[in-house]
Amino acid sequence: MTITIETRLHGETLLPMLEPCAALFSRLERLLFVALHAHGESVAGAKRRFIVQHRITARQFNAIHKQLAAKVESWRQCRKLNLATVGKQIERALRAIAKSSARPLCRHQKKRRLALLLARKARIERDLGAPVPSICFGSRELFRKQFELKANGHKAHGDWLKTWRAGRAASFFVLGSCDETCGNQTCQYSDGALSLRLPD
C-alpha cells in the first residue's frame, strides 16, 4: 500500500536550513543540464562526479536528474504541440489566400500572416533540432521582468536579481522508491515527525 503525505511547514524556523538546500539543488540541476546537454557527458559519469564534488547522495543526484529530465521532456512536448498548432494555422492561411483572390488587399494581409507563420514554424523546428534545449530555469516571464524594473515593482536591478534567485531556488524534489524504508530514504514520516536528509 502506498501512502502519500503532504504537509505545510508553519513558522520560519526551518527556512534558514531549507533555503540553502533548495539553492544548492537548483544550482546542481543547472550544472547537470550543462554537463548532459551542452558537454555531452554521460549520466553515469556525471553522477560519479557530482556525488564526489558536491557531497550529495546517489538518491539526491537521481532526484535532480529526474526533475531535469522531466523539464527537458516537457519543453520538447510543448514545442511539438506548438509545431502542430502552427501547421494547422498555416493550412488555414493557405485556404484563406485561395479564397481571397478577388480582393488584393485581403490577399496581401493573408500572405503576410502566412509568412509570419512559416517563420514561426522554422524557428520551432530549429529549436527541436538543436543539440541543447532552450530552457530558462526560473521562467522566461520572471527573466524578462529585469528589462522593465519599475513597471514590475523593482527599484533596481539588484532587487530583481534577489527575486530571480529566489524564484529559481523556490523548491526541490525528493525522489523515493518502493524498496526503501518508508518509501523514501531522503524524506520520511514516522511517529508524527517528518525527517529530511540534507546534503553536507
Side-chain angles (χ1 to χ4, degrees), residues 6-16 18 194:
E6 290 185 24
T7 184
R8 185 178 296 275
L9 300 175
H10 298 286
E12 298 182 358
T13 54
L14 293 176
L15 289 181
L18 293 178
L194 185 70

Side-chain angles (χ1 to χ4, degrees), residues 17 28 59-60 95 98 112 114 119 129 145 162 185:
M17 191 167 32
L28 293 182
R59 181 56 72 185
Q60 288 166 340
R95 285 196 300 270
R112 287 186 63 201
L114 178 63
K145 286 187 176 182
K162 285 173 74 175
Q185 71 178 27

Side-chain angles (χ1 to χ4, degrees), residues 3 12 20 29 77 91 93 99 109 142 161 192:
I3 299 173
E12 298 182 358
E29 183 183 29
Q77 292 303 322
E91 289 174 12
K99 290 178 183 176
Q109 293 299 335
L142 189 54
L161 191 58

Side-chain angles (χ1 to χ4, degrees), residues 44-129:
K47 184 174 184 175
R48 284 191 298 271
R49 186 168 58 80
F50 271 57
I51 288 170
V52 172
Q53 283 183 359
H54 303 289
R55 301 172 71 186
I56 59 174
T57 65
R59 181 56 72 185
Q60 288 166 340
F61 175 88
N62 290 345
I64 294 166
H65 177 248
K66 193 90 165 172
Q67 184 167 315
L68 175 62
K71 286 181 181 177
V72 170
E73 184 58 23
S74 174
W75 172 84
R76 204 172 303 283
Q77 292 303 322
C78 282
R79 298 311 278 165
K80 287 179 181 177
L81 186 62
N82 291 345
L83 189 61
T85 302
V86 169
K88 291 175 185 174
Q89 290 173 331
I90 288 171
E91 289 174 12
R92 283 199 301 269
L94 288 169
R95 285 196 300 270
I97 289 170
K99 290 178 183 176
S100 64
S101 57
R103 296 180 291 169
L105 183 60
C106 182
R107 183 180 174 84
H108 172 71
Q109 293 299 335
K110 299 293 182 188
K111 283 186 174 181
R112 287 186 63 201
R113 166 82 173 148
L114 178 63
L116 289 171
L117 290 171
L118 289 170
R120 188 180 302 165
K121 181 184 178 188
R123 189 169 62 247
I124 294 170
E125 288 173 339
R126 190 171 58 247
D127 285 350
L128 282 169

Side-chain angles (χ1 to χ4, degrees), residues 28-39:
L28 293 182
E29 183 183 29
R30 297 191 302 274
L31 288 174
L32 183 60
F33 176 80
V34 171
L36 298 182
H37 297 281
H39 299 154

